[in-house]
């Protein structure tokens, strides 16, 4: 899977949904449950069932337990740091972040250590 690179300060959003469409999930008087999935450019929505893979569940649990407390602004600032997969795509003027760059991106490693 690739992520679309954006020149804005905020990290890119999957699919083509405008940011306003994603605001329904924001924090306002408590967390709003996700009731719909964002769709890609041709209208497909994707979901991963963490029960299908113990490794996926462990990865999601690790990320949530270490990064779930960070604000959207902080996550955005970390995502765009020099050397990140996002910054490499922007430097190369690529429309998408490559799988290889995502695999080699260690931008969040310091935040994922216990």
């Amino acid at each position: 899977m690739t992520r679309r690179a954006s020149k804005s300060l905020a990290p890119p959003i999957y699919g083509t949904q405008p940011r306003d469409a994603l605001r329904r999930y924001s924090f306002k008087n408590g967390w709003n449950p996700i009731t719909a999935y964002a769709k890609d450019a041709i209208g497909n929505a994707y979901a991963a069932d963490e029960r299908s893979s113990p490794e996926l569940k462990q990865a999601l649990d690790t990320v949530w337990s270490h990064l779930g407390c960070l604000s959207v602004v902080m996550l955005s600032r970390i995502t765009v740091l020099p050397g990140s997969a996002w910054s490499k795509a922007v430097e190369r003027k690529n429309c998408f972040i490559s799988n290889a760059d995502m695999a080699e991106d260690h931008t969040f490693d310091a935040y994922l250590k216990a």
Side-chain angles (χ1 to χ4, degrees), residues 10-87:
I13 295 176
Y14 286 100
T16 59
Q17 299 295 317
R19 289 178 195 263
D20 289 343
L22 299 174
R23 285 199 177 133
R24 71 179 113 178
Y25 309 120
S26 65
F27 182 81
K28 183 177 182 184
N29 300 323
W31 292 104
N32 295 319
I34 295 174
T35 58
Y37 293 102
K39 295 181 180 178
D40 66 15
I42 58 174
N44 294 321
Y46 302 93
D49 183 354
E50 64 185 50
R51 296 172 296 182
S52 68
S53 168
E55 294 85 4
L56 173 61
K57 182 175 180 359
Q58 182 180 1
L60 292 172
D61 288 346
T62 298
V63 169
W64 183 254
S65 68
H66 288 85
L67 304 179
C69 62
L70 297 179
S71 70
V72 171
V73 172
M74 180 58 79
L75 291 169
S76 178
R77 288 179 180 163
I78 297 166
T79 300
V80 301
L81 287 172
S84 69
W86 180 90
S87 70

Side-chain angles (χ1 to χ4, degrees), residues 1-5 12-15 95-100 102:
M1 178 182 291
T2 57
R3 288 182 74 182
R4 188 167 185 86
I13 295 176
Y14 286 100
C95 292
F96 296 94
I97 298 172
S98 76
N99 288 337
M102 282 191 277

